[in-house]
């Protein structure tokens, strides 16, 4: 973890920065090892890094952090510490208000975005990170298999979600990576159909999309099933999505762009005439954040490299009728890609 | 809900704004009724409000929203729609990157923060909002009572959290309002001691801090117990925190400032010689966000008014020894305050 901060320090000179100031929790964790709930600010100067936390987070941050920790009672104390810095590197996510305060109260003269420096580091997962993500995927696999068992006629979507989230936690997850999606019947056509009070009915397509947050890292998997026997149309769109998903997983490898990978699945779905019903990108990076770089979409030309972790999740959503999505979390390897979520895909 | 948007429209002229652009999920929900997971942007002009959502959120947003919904594929399409606007009202939480894009791509000339307008509306809860929050508090009460049962020697903190979070969900919660805190033994001295793999031991102080998110609104409650018989010192700090909590709840009423209310509890703890161990503010507003206005602290002079919902949560945290916190969510009434979380407080 120490090498990470060293890379930030090296970047100061390269980018003509007096310091870097990180406010976003996953970044603060990545570089310090601490995750103060009420906020923590990592200041990196040529002299080294310091983590500033509110008083109530001080004891825990000291336990977790690999860098020096200082506490403050009011933000004004923090702004005092920043005085003298003229050019500050910040994340694009820092708020408009925070920038205004840094200008006015800490007298910062110029801000430069340092997102690319952080992206370059975080987008490639180390062996240690991959081991954690594999474990997060294992918990998600178990949960999705439990959900497949739990989905039965008459049960409410929310009950299924409650059960599998409980299981994930008992299996070591800190919490769900995101609000568990159990979307049945017409709701399966809503890509973000978070589990509701709707009762599951016979003949429903049911999209199950869940993930586990384990040791700060996320996993993400989707499976779709039918309650009872599938109709011809349900089978048809399932087969198309399955083919698109498998072909994209097989094709993924270092050297290709995210856009090229997106096209592999998108073109298959288009050829079958369902292009207009695939209304999102093929996937996204997964790590400390559930959605991170690269975006596997028509608008991201990032070149895939060994150690990137992404999802492959094509879908077809037909309003009122229902939808199908099949998703795995995969890692780009030396010569191809490896599925980290492993639940069977032939479910309809 | 419609009157809310009307107040925003009225504020345009008052503040010399061409439009207001909302990006923060609770605000988007408050004014539109929709809660698109992948982001939604509410544009309010003199002509009325429009909610812009990514394609994959369109069907669901149309179901939920009380205002017109339009979909976009790329942010650039959205920036096109904003062209012609010169002075734009924004939230302080909008990101630095977003502001940069709005300047460059949508040609916005000037930004003005409209947080005060929103605060003024959201800080006072309507009868309908209070009914929802009461229900959220009821779910939290049940969960905290279950947690008190579940906390036994040898059990891991995380197991207790998993169980009560499951119960909250089965009782209708969308999810926990925040990461459930089950902090036992030395960890009880960490105000944000989210449930860990630590096993609960005999003699441990155990801080249980949880809340339910129900129908978009939050609740928040903390109780502290001892496993087995409390020591004299444990009893001593428990009694002090209990006295401070009760006196503050009894004193809360319209017309006093948040700071004055904070002082009531803080002075009691100080008088007993534990002032330096009360390392956070007395409480915070609760609503669509788990932490909102007012802050019940030495730094907030907001005058309390009927319909505000706040927490009262004094604590004493002695590093290595342990901590005690007792918290209720309360509503300011015409003449005083009413506890919305009702679990017994005499637990040690």
């Amino acid at each position: 973890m120490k090498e990470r901060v060293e890379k930030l320090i090296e970047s100061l000179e390269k980018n003509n920065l007096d310091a870097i100031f990180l406010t976003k929790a996953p970044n603060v964790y990545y570089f310090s090892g601490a995750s103060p709930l009420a906020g923590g600010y990592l200041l990196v100067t040529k002299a080294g890094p310091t983590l500033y936390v509110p008083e109530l987070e001080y004891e825990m941050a000291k336990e977790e952090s690999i860098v020096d920790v200082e506490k403050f009672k009011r933000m004004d104390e923090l702004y005092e510490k920043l005085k003298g810095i003229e050019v500050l590197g910040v994340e694009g996510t820092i708020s408009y208000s925070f920038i205004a305060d840094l200008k006015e109260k800490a007298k910062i003269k110029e801000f430069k975005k340092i997102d690319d420096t952080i992206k370059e580091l975080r987008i490639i997962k180390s062996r240690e990170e991959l081991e954690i993500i594999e474990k997060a995927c294992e918990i998600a696999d178990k949960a999705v298999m439990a959900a497949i068992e739990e989905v039965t006629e008459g049960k409410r979507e929310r009950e299924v979600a409650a059960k599998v989230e409980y299981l994930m936690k008992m299996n070591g997850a800190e919490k769900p990576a995101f609000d568990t999606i159990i979307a049945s019947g017409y709701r399966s056509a809503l890509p973000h159909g978070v589990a509701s009070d709707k009762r599951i009915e016979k003949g429903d397509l049911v999209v199950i999309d869940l993930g586990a947050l384990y040791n700060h890292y996320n996993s993400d998997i989707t499976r779709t099933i039918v309650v009872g026997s599938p109709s011809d149309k349900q089978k048809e769109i399932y087969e198309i999505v399955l083919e698109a998903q498998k072909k994209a997983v097989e094709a993924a490898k270092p050297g290709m762009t995210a856009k090229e990978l997106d096209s592999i699945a998108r073109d298959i779905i288009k050829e079958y005439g369902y292009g207009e019903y695939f209304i999102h990108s093929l996937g996204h990076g997964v790590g400390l954040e559930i959605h991170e770089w690269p975006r596997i979409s028509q608008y991201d030309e990032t070149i895939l490299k060994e150690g990137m972790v992404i999802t492959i999740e094509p879908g077809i959503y037909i309003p009122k009728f229902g939808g199908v999505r099949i998703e795995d979390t995969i890692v780009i390897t030396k010569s191809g890609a490896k599925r980290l979520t492993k639940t069977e895909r032939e479910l309809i």
Side-chain angles (χ1 to χ4, degrees), chain A:
Chain A
M1 205 174 249
K2 282 213 167 143
E3 319 82 65
R4 296 175 185 170
V5 174
E6 277 156 26
K7 292 218 169 123
L8 280 191
I9 295 173
E10 280 167 31
S11 80
L12 292 173
E13 200 149 353
K14 234 183 297 174
N15 300 312
N16 289 313
L17 299 169
D18 296 326
I20 288 173
F21 184 66
L22 303 180
T23 65
K24 191 174 165 172
N27 290 337
V28 169
Y29 174 76
Y30 187 77
F31 292 103
S32 76
S35 50
L37 268 188
Y41 308 102
L42 187 65
L43 182 70
V44 180
T45 66
K46 277 158 201 159
T50 309
L51 177 65
Y52 293 95
V53 299
E55 202 180 3
L56 82 164
E57 302 287 359
Y58 185 60
E59 291 295 325
M60 195 182 256
K62 271 198 302 183
E63 256 184 47
E64 294 175 340
S65 176
I66 61 156
V67 310
D68 288 346
V69 183
E70 288 191 28
K71 62 183 167 181
F72 62 87
K73 281 196 184 185
R74 301 200 61 185
M75 290 301 285
D76 286 345
E77 293 170 31
L78 181 59
Y79 298 134
E80 279 302 313
K81 310 257 184 192
L82 298 176
K83 278 189 182 162
I85 294 169
E86 299 202 343
V87 186
L88 187 64
V90 295
E91 301 140 313
T93 51
I94 189 171
S95 76
Y96 179 56
S97 284
F98 212 150
I99 290 283
D101 284 345
L102 287 167
K103 268 185 206 165
E104 193 193 311
K105 298 178 181 168
K107 310 294 176 200
I108 307 292
K109 291 199 179 130
E110 196 187 337
F111 300 90
K112 288 187 184 174
K113 283 206 281 180
I114 46 85
D115 297 301
D116 286 345
T117 306
I118 291 178
K119 172 184 169 185
E120 211 178 288
L121 289 169
R122 279 185 46 196
I123 200 170
I124 305 293
K125 272 65 181 179
S126 69
R127 179 181 299 267
E128 293 74 26
E129 288 179 294
L130 285 177
E131 277 170 18
I132 298 169
I133 294 172
E134 277 187 56
K135 174 77 181 162
C137 287
E138 205 182 297
I139 297 170
D141 268 324
K142 281 183 194 161
V144 94
M145 284 186 283
I148 291 169
E149 291 294 311
E150 289 291 324
V151 167
T152 48
E153 198 186 336
K155 209 175 270 182
R156 289 186 198 278
E157 294 170 354
R158 196 191 297 274
E159 293 172 53
V160 177
K163 185 72 174 285
V164 302
E165 291 181 356
Y166 173 72
L167 279 178
M168 284 199 277
K169 207 141 178 168
M170 292 304 281
N171 283 327
E174 285 152 33
K175 58 177 160 182
F178 50 88
D179 294 353
T180 297
I181 290 171
I182 306 287
S184 63
Y186 77 95
R187 295 191 79 250
S188 61
L190 308 170
H192 281 162
V194 170
S196 76
D197 285 328
K198 177 185 175 298
R199 287 194 194 275
I200 295 160
E201 289 168 62
K202 204 172 166 184
D204 275 359
L205 278 164
V206 185
V207 172
I208 301 159
D209 185 354
L210 56 82
L213 183 74
Y214 171 76
N215 195 5
H216 299 275
Y217 285 83
N218 293 281
S219 57
D220 199 352
I221 179 170
T222 306
R223 291 295 182 267
T224 301
I225 58 175
V226 169
V227 183
S229 306
S231 68
D232 288 348
K233 174 104 176 181
Q234 287 173 338
K235 255 194 251 174
E236 183 200 348
I237 64 173
Y238 191 88
E239 290 302 328
I240 297 166
V241 172
L242 183 62
E243 182 183 338
Q245 206 265 357
K246 283 185 166 179
K247 293 261 168 75
V249 172
E250 281 160 25
K253 65 176 184 202
M256 77 193 303
T257 66
K259 179 179 172 174
E260 285 164 356
L261 183 52
D262 180 89
S263 291
I264 288 169
R266 197 165 303 276
D267 288 349
I268 292 171
I269 293 174
K270 266 188 205 161
E271 272 164 40
Y272 284 106
Y274 286 95
E276 66 181 297
Y277 300 106
F278 180 18
I279 52 177
H280 54 68
S281 53
L282 179 63
H284 53 84
V286 176
L288 291 171
E289 289 167 88
I290 182 64
H291 294 117
E292 50 178 62
W293 337 262
R295 305 286 159 171
I296 312 299
S297 86
Q298 288 300 302
Y299 313 111
D300 190 335
E301 307 265 6
T302 302
I303 293 167
L304 300 184
K305 286 186 187 157
E306 187 181 353
M308 288 185 184
V309 174
I310 59 173
T311 66
I312 301 288
E313 49 176 313
I316 292 177
Y317 311 92
I318 304 174
K320 310 282 187 286
F321 174 78
V324 170
R325 180 168 64 254
I326 302 172
E327 170 188 35
D328 284 308
T329 300
I330 70 171
V331 56
I332 305 297
T333 60
K334 212 168 199 146
S335 58
K338 192 179 107 184
R339 285 168 69 208
L340 299 179
T341 48
K342 294 167 182 166
T343 301
E344 194 188 342
R345 289 172 288 185
E346 284 80 7
L347 293 167
I348 288 186

